[in-house]
Amino acid sequence: MSEQGARRGQEDDWWRQLYGEDGAGGGAGAGGGGAAGDAARSGAAPAAGTPSGAGPADVGPTDVGPADAADTLDERVASVLRTVGPPGWGDRDRPPPQPSPADAPDRAAPAGDAPDRAAPPGGPAPDRAAPDRPVPDRPAPDRPAPDRPAPPRGETPTVPVSPAEPPTRRVPVPPPPPSEPIPLKATGPGAPPPAPVVTYIGDRPPTYEAEPAALPAADPAALDELVPDTALEGAQYGSLTLRAASQRGDSARYRGEVRRDALLTARFGAGRHALILVAVATGRPAVEGAHRAARDACGWIGSAVGRSCTQLAEDIRADRRGDLKAGLQRLTDRSYGKLRARALERGGPPEQYTAALRCLLLPADPDCRTRVFFGVGAGGLFRLRDGAWTDLEPVATDHGASAPLPATEAPARPGPGLPHGPGLPHGPGTAEYPVRPEPFLFHAAFGRPGDALLLCSTGLAEPLRQEPAFAAHLADRWSTPEPPGLVPFLATAQVRAKGHAKDRTAVAVWEA
């Protein structure tokens, strides 16, 4: 027997034991029968040393003879799946035929490995190529999966699990934690509590309602004279922040009267040389057309300051307070002279067509912190520093109204920025009626970082001077590190106090 024949005989014995044949069938033909069978299947002559009489009867069972398909381990597994599984399960991925051991190239295998590979009869067949866990069959990419029969109605469809596919343990993924809302304001033990909403000061609310009740009567031919219930303004230049608000009083809201307070905010110039004017005027109470007089007073003083803004800004930066006072007094007298002339045109007494006028001049230059106040009539000027109010209302220097100048006399020195020309306006009634009804007021203040300067009409100045709780409330709300916004500023300025139902106008300037 040649060496090649001996190797084939050993391989035949291994295949017989692998396929579960009994020992009697396989032991008789362990040597030559296997070789002869291989030779018969392959069509080759028996090898040298093989008995010529060995035939198919000596090979063993007939199921190990020639077949159309290769009888491999994969084919056996597929056969079992076809038998015990659902229809079409084993045929969905039948492997291609494998070549028989006789057709495979010669492989040198150690003789000592054969007993270890062979399993005892009736036991599981070892597989050298198979891993510890069998690989599940997967459908080929180009072959569609076979149709599976639908489950009966009322039954839950189940997916068959291949015996070769190990169960997979799925670890549940915990849901993401709910996102916490971002607080709009700082919260916690160290955060300040939110400020309570205060609508009035005192042990009981005022008599009138807090919201407007009636609108003022309108003239179809003079709709441009309508005045809104509330006016709100704000700005920021350099180191200052401006907030201004004007609102009808509770009495005017209830009776449907027009707001008699007028508010004007204007900027003249640009850049560091710009000058900001804020004017507040209040018409006479119980006088028809008082709101027109307040509006005219603001408009005329605004026009006069705008024409002289360059010279006024230079005098403020140079701190020439004497020139400023003289020049602003002449501008104020000119404005009141126009009010008197307008009253005569309308056919009414000039002492009724007038208004209290109070103004602030604010340079936009961040290096200049001088704030100039001037005006005529009642009102208030306060400074809030370190949480305490200081009344800055100036003392009148000219006791009495200014006397009119003769028509041919001109001022000795024109005020800053004023053109040369005749003096104050003159005309009918000049000698009879004074130019302005009350003394001229002037004050220049230097703003420190953290200060707040408040200019207001009598509707706010009276409760601020007469009601300590009201003054403390405003100081608490406006002593914040940052200036309030427009809406919070208005909410604080309109806090009511019993017995104070006039129109209110407040202009505050915060220094950074």
Side-chain angles (χ1 to χ4, degrees):
M1 180 182 295
S2 64
E3 182 179 356
Q4 182 177 3
R7 287 197 303 269
R8 290 184 177 178
Q10 294 175 1
E11 292 176 358
D12 289 342
D13 293 341
W14 184 85
W15 282 103
R16 289 189 183 93
Q17 296 177 6
L18 178 64
Y19 293 150
E21 297 177 356
D22 54 2
D38 290 343
R41 286 192 299 269
S42 62
T50 304
S52 59
D58 300 330
V59 174
T62 58
D63 60 348
V64 296
D68 295 337
D71 194 4
T72 62
L73 178 60
D74 295 338
E75 181 63 25
R76 290 293 181 105
V77 173
S79 176
V80 172
L81 295 178
R82 288 194 299 271
T83 302
V84 301
W89 181 264
D91 296 335
R92 63 174 185 173
D93 193 15
R94 179 177 296 181
Q98 300 292 335
S100 63
D103 299 335
D106 295 339
R107 298 176 183 175
D113 295 341
D116 298 336
R117 298 173 188 170
D127 189 0
R128 292 178 298 172
D132 296 341
R133 295 183 180 178
V135 179
D137 296 335
R138 300 184 183 275
D142 54 349
R143 181 183 300 175
D147 297 335
R148 299 180 181 178
R153 181 175 300 178
E155 297 184 4
T156 304
T158 58
V159 180
V161 180
S162 174
E165 183 177 356
T168 303
R169 180 183 178 185
R170 297 183 179 180
V171 179
V173 180
S179 58
E180 298 181 357
I182 301 176
L184 298 180
K185 295 183 179 180
T187 58
V197 179
V198 178
T199 58
Y200 67 90
I201 298 297
D203 54 352
R204 52 198 177 118
T207 305
Y208 299 103
E209 295 293 334
E211 300 299 330
L215 291 172
D219 184 0
L223 294 180
D224 56 341
E225 294 186 0
L226 292 178
V227 180
D229 176 88
T230 304
L232 194 61
E233 189 62 274
Q236 183 175 359
Y237 287 94
S239 60
L240 65 87
T241 300
L242 173 66
R243 297 288 183 263
S246 182
Q247 179 179 290
R248 268 199 306 171
D250 293 345
S251 177
R253 284 180 166 182
Y254 177 78
R255 303 176 186 278
E257 297 176 355
V258 68
R259 174 166 54 92
R260 295 181 293 107
D261 278 7
L263 173 66
L264 171 68
T265 56
R267 175 182 60 86
F268 305 104
R272 299 172 63 93
H273 302 284
L275 185 64
I276 302 168
L277 168 68
V278 185
V280 176
T282 303
R284 290 290 179 89
V287 174
E288 184 181 359
H291 65 284
R292 301 189 192 97
R295 184 180 58 184
D296 289 344
C298 289
W300 284 328
I301 193 64
S303 299
V305 170
R307 289 190 294 266
S308 308
C309 63
T310 303
Q311 185 64 42
L312 289 172
E314 291 180 0
D315 289 341
I316 293 175
R317 284 193 296 268
D319 200 17
R320 293 193 286 262
R321 301 191 180 188
D323 294 343
L324 279 171
K325 182 180 178 181
L328 292 174
Q329 182 174 347
R330 289 181 172 84
L331 294 179
T332 305
D333 290 343
R334 285 177 178 270
S335 299
Y336 275 95
K338 292 183 178 181
L339 280 177
R340 185 190 63 248
R342 175 64 59 87
L344 297 177
E345 292 175 1
R346 298 173 64 91
E351 66 272 10
Q352 292 186 0
Y353 197 82
T354 186
L357 178 65
R358 308 175 75 84
C359 305
L360 273 180
L361 287 179
L362 310 171
D365 189 352
D367 297 332
C368 181
R369 291 181 175 270
T370 302
R371 316 305 180 202
V372 176
F373 160 78
F374 68 97
V376 173
L381 180 66
F382 304 89
R383 180 180 62 199
L384 179 61
R385 175 178 293 176
D386 299 331
W389 290 106
T390 302
D391 196 337
L392 301 180
E393 186 72 12
V395 179
T397 55
D398 53 343
H399 301 280
S402 62
L405 297 176
T408 57
E409 182 178 353
R413 176 188 179 274
L418 293 179
H420 292 274
L424 298 174
H426 60 279
T430 301
E432 183 179 356
Y433 299 105
V435 175
R436 46 185 164 81
E438 299 181 47
F440 176 77
L441 305 175
F442 176 86
H443 180 77
F446 181 81
R448 297 193 321 188
D451 287 356
L453 188 65
L454 176 64
L455 173 71
C456 56
S457 62
T458 55
L460 187 63
E462 289 179 355
L464 198 58
R465 291 190 178 108
Q466 300 172 10
E467 304 291 341
F470 183 84
H473 176 74
L474 265 62
D476 178 68
R477 295 301 175 89
W478 289 346
S479 296
T480 55
E482 297 293 332
L486 291 178
V487 174
F489 175 77
L490 175 62
T492 304
Q494 67 183 2
V495 171
R496 303 185 301 155
K498 190 172 181 60
H500 303 278
K502 297 180 180 179
D503 295 348
R504 287 186 184 180
T505 302
V507 178
V509 179
W510 276 268
E511 302 288 347

